[in-house]
Amino acid sequence: MPSTQSLPIDVFFLGLRILLICLLYLFLFQVLRWGMKDLRLVAPATGRNARPQYGRLVVVDPGQTGLPPGTGFTLLASTSIGRDLANTIQLNDPSVSGEHAYITWKNDRAWIENASSKNETLLNGATVGKPTAVSEGEIISMGAVRLKWTRYA
């Protein structure tokens, strides 16, 4: 077997290129394998039949958001609602403040609180000042947008 010193330099560089390509494909294969593994772990929790753990908000009156009535938003343990993109739920309506309200989950209940919005947050027509418990089917109003809280999908 000839030594690497006696090989023409072109053949040596060709071998290095092939090795680099093989290592690159091995790396990409590992990244895809890890990504698929993560997707399989997340998929059962977000499947169609999975119940939302913290409830849902369903659009009753979309105001000027352009959302069709019946659109649902799955809530997190802490959900911010407003016009800004940084919110968990974005409602693009001029009567909704940039950061309008918060819904948090405490003591096995959903609680809503106004985020110092000038356009009040209402729960069944009553102004929300301090954190207020939300029950099944209650209507939350933020400006012209009305949402119904439901525990299950």
Side-chain angles (χ1 to χ4, degrees), residues 49-106:
N49 296 329
R51 287 184 170 180
Q53 183 176 359
Y54 302 107
R56 293 174 49 85
L57 289 179
V58 179
V59 176
V60 175
D61 183 357
Q64 296 179 25
T65 62
L67 296 169
T71 301
F73 298 100
T74 301
L75 298 172
L76 304 175
S78 180
T79 303
S80 61
I81 305 168
R83 200 173 55 242
D84 290 343
L85 292 174
N87 289 298
T88 311
I89 298 174
Q90 182 194 13
L91 299 173
N92 193 15
D93 183 283
S95 64
V96 175
S97 298
E99 200 167 273
H100 201 104
Y102 302 111
I103 296 180
T104 53
W105 191 259
K106 295 178 197 164

Side-chain angles (χ1 to χ4, degrees), residues 18-84:
I18 291 172
L19 179 64
L20 180 65
I21 289 171
C22 289
L23 289 174
L24 181 63
Y25 277 110
L26 179 65
F27 172 76
L28 289 174
F29 172 73
Q30 289 295 331
V31 168
L32 287 173
R33 190 177 76 148
W34 290 328
M36 293 302 290
K37 181 179 168 186
D38 288 345
L39 286 175
R40 275 185 249 128
L41 292 174
V42 172
T46 59
R48 284 199 107 127
N49 296 329
R51 287 184 170 180
Q53 183 176 359
Y54 302 107
R56 293 174 49 85
L57 289 179
V58 179
V59 176
V60 175
D61 183 357
Q64 296 179 25
T65 62
L67 296 169
T71 301
F73 298 100
T74 301
L75 298 172
L76 304 175
S78 180
T79 303
S80 61
I81 305 168
R83 200 173 55 242
D84 290 343

